Amino acid sequence: MDVDPRQYEHIAINDNDIHNIVLSYLVHNCYKETVDSFISCTGMKQPANCLEDMEMRKRILHFALEGNALKAIELTEELAQDLLEKNKDLHFDLLSLHFVELVCSRKCTEALEFAQTKLTPFGKVQKYVEKLEDFMALLAYEEPEKSPMFHLLSLEYRQHVADNLNRAILAHAERPRYAAMERLIQQTTAVRQCLSQELGKDVHPPFSLKDFMKS
Amino acid sequence: MGGVEDDEPASKRMKLSSVELRGLSNGSAFREPVAGSLRDLMARPLPSEGDEDVIGPAGVIKRVEFVRIIAKALYSLGYTKSGAHLEEESGIPLHSSMVNLFTQQILDGHWDESLATLSKIGLVDESVIKSASFLILEQKFFELLDAEKVMDALKTLRTEIAPLCIKNSRVRELSSCIVSPPKCVVVCSPKQDIVRAKSRPKLLEELQKLLPPTIMIPERRLEHLVEQALVLQREACMFHNSSDRDMSLYTDHQCGRDQIPSRTLQILQGHTDEVWFLQFSHNGKYLASSSNDRSAIIWEVDLNGGVTLKHKLSGHQKPVSCVSWSSDDQQLLTCGVEEAVRRWDVSSGNCLHVYEKAGLGLVSCGWHPDRKWIFSGANDKSICMWELGGKELECWKGQRTLKISDLEVTSDGKQIITMCKESALLLLDREAKVERYIEEDQTITSFSLSRDNKFLLVNLLNQEIHLWNIEGEVKLVAKYKGHKRSRFVIRSCFGGLEQAFIASGSEDSQVYIWHRASCDLIGALPGHSGAVNCVSWNPANPHMLASASDDRTIRIWGLKDLNVKRKDCHSNGVHYCNGGT
């Protein structure tokens, strides 16, 4: 499609805005060293506080991604005491990561005990019951990778839980849950899709971010 | 006869010889009948009833199957010795030795052994083997859990059950059971009842259902076959009008005509003009009739079936066209033609209320089953609903072209059925406000609702009676012909045991009775000397029928060979008679 390229020229962009966008992305993902060099390169004023928790957050997320959920939980409790209490879903997801670890290392007895003590209390609430059953089903298979629930063992799942944990920690520290860049991209895509729909499907091909970036 | 030990009891030795002789010829259980071999010809005795492959005149019953289900029935009845003896004498084992072993292992709980036996039983279908194995291992699993051997149960689940790769959702449930055993009731799941160990005999029964019947005879097979035959006999019995307890295995069931009322037992002469309508109460203890003489009469049916006049209900200024019993039979509604509806108390005979509509004449009446409301059709084509006290609650008007003359309310109070056009009936669902129609291509003169609210009997101008199924979509089910109708309204009704018969009046003065299912005319009962306008079959006594006629009488019909002692004649209008008129 596209907007006439000349129209872009009429829009002025503030360098500071761009710097902030990039910085927020780096902070969100805990790229500490990059943050340091970016700040010094651009000569930005270092925003207060943003570096403090980053180190801790980075470690927590790292443990979560590895599958060492217990450590992640421990550090999270240190960082933000009531965070997990307020985010029961997240707490359950983290505990389940540990359970999955135990199952994958074929420690059945431990896994069973852990499930009985830590996970089943969640089962009193209806919405956790199905999730709980999904995880328990893993116990039935000698090769959980080949079971119907194999997706629970995947990196994608751990990434998903880590992302949620990240957002929860940020929210707890009253920072934005989403990096500005993420939001901008989402905004662009959503708006373009709306426009395409309004103008009618036949008029233009649906918006593709990838193509747009290339052009 | 070599190889027989000398110290064996003599009887055993003799048995051995007879078995040996017959074992060669009784090959149907174990091998194909062999033709032509000299040895067999010599060993086989002449064919007799005892040795054929098939038995019975039609030649469709296989001997082996027949003997096996008899043996099974003997065991089910508890006659174990007889069962065993039959197996031995016939040489046809009920189950192969593998199956017997399997059964015993299941009952003893030797799961691993039973699985091994399962593979030797002779099953061909892989999926059946897997399903059966799953059932057995599930039982093993639950029994281990019950014995609190959690790790063993887990091992069974992981190494034996899951590898079967069937029923994944069940495997999931079993995992949950390990983590939260049902007795701890931690997981609040509503499906507690399928997560316990069943009894071993129950497991055996489920396995029996799974395995093909040739391998394991199903439970109660013989009983099932016999019941099937009895049910078919009963359905084929056209005159069946007595309770099933009379069915016997000794002879084919067939009721004779003697079960249908066909003889006038009484002639009731309470009315002074044509009797137009009559109906038994729900409990069969009363009969209400209405007449052109502007009165209605409540008759009482005593324990012997004798009918006596109880109350004469006067008050209407016009002929009374119909009556309606309340669901508890304590009250009666009567309707004067284009006049008013009156409500009467049955025990005292007093008129409790008169329902009128200014400027209109009412033409039909009906009770709501709750007895709090009554319905009435008016000659302006509307239907009104009144509270008992007389307050009008609702009124439905609709596209009707004929004066509404018949009205029925289903016994659940949900539907009202009335005529709406000359050849159509309206079925109005009061709650859902849905209207359904029965369309005929002839003028409808009257209709009658079955007790189960599922069927409607419709009398037509062209002397046919149509039976409609009104459950769901209306459809025509049957037609009955034979009676005569040309000028008047003639009514018909359902009756007999389970309403298996249809009865109708007729202008040729006879009462007609048909078998409902087959539409066959069973009988035409003469006796009246005027058109028979209406019939009613006693709901509590399938052998009692009442008919109302233009000859001013009501006849009570009963069984031919009923011989009941009666009291002396009373002078209140009842005339007794035995035999024909």
Side-chain angles (χ1 to χ4, degrees), chain A residues 156-167:
Chain A
E156 280 92 16
Y157 181 70
R158 290 201 294 280
Q159 185 73 58
H160 168 78
V161 177
D163 279 348
N164 285 343
L165 182 55
N166 194 19
R167 298 194 208 282

Side-chain angles (χ1 to χ4, degrees), chain A residues 66-81:
Chain A
E66 268 188 338
N68 190 347
L70 288 184
K71 192 76 182 164
I73 292 175
E74 192 194 313
L75 293 178
T76 308
E77 302 266 277
E78 269 183 44
L79 180 63
Q81 272 166 346

Side-chain angles (χ1 to χ4, degrees), chain A residues 106 108-109 112 115-116 120 123-124 126 129-130 132-134 136-142 148-149, chain B residues 150-151 154 157-159 162-163 168 171-173 175-176 178-181 186-191:
Chain A
R106 308 290 192 259
C108 295
T109 329
L112 184 61
Q116 279 171 328
T120 48
K124 290 185 190 135
Q126 188 54 36
V129 170
E130 205 181 313
L132 190 56
E133 286 179 357
D134 279 350
M136 294 308 109
L138 287 170
L139 275 178
Y141 298 92
E142 291 202 289
M149 299 293 138
Chain B
V150 181
M151 292 318 292
L154 183 61
L157 181 59
R158 286 166 69 90
T159 59
N168 280 320
V171 171
R172 212 178 122 100
E173 282 168 9
S175 295
S176 294
I178 289 203
V179 178
S180 353
V186 176
V187 176
C188 47
S189 150
K191 34 192 173 110

Side-chain angles (χ1 to χ4, degrees), chain B residues 396-407:
Chain B
W396 295 274
K397 295 186 205 285
Q399 12 133 273
R400 292 175 249 281
T401 57
L402 193 66
K403 298 180 262 191
I404 296 173
S405 50
D406 272 18
L407 182 82

